[in-house]
Amino acid sequence: MPMFAIARVGKIKSMGQAAAAGGHNMRTRPTPNADADRTPNNVLLHGSDDLPAAIRQRLADAGVEPGRKDAVLAAEFVLTASPEFFDGKTPQQVRAWADRKSVV
């Protein structure tokens, strides 16, 4: 079966969207497309597990006040691979993949 690299970028335009995205990503809300037994293996590589608070803090640090109701507050980036890529890999191998800074 073919393997794929997956990159998803999404706009977050409200704190409600930020809370929903954070809950989905951290699996603190029901996520039917995810295997709940594997959730403890998830690793947050960068950022905070409280996405709305992190966005508020970053905007405050930058001195930014969104001027429009529909302004983009943040961009969400998810980088992963198809499940077949990870088959047979040890947790150490997966971590090494996640820690890579460049692609060979």
Side-chain angles (χ1 to χ4, degrees), residues 28-85:
T28 58
R29 58 182 267 183
T31 307
N33 64 325
D35 181 351
D37 293 336
R38 297 176 68 182
T39 296
N41 298 330
N42 292 350
V43 176
L44 180 64
L45 298 176
H46 184 76
S48 167
D49 62 353
D50 185 349
L51 192 53
I55 291 171
R56 280 189 199 94
Q57 186 62 55
R58 179 67 181 111
L59 292 173
D61 290 348
V64 173
E65 294 255 348
R68 294 174 34 163
K69 190 173 170 181
D70 65 344
V72 175
L73 302 175
E76 176 187 32
F77 291 83
V78 177
L79 305 173
T80 188
S82 53
E84 296 80 13
F85 174 81

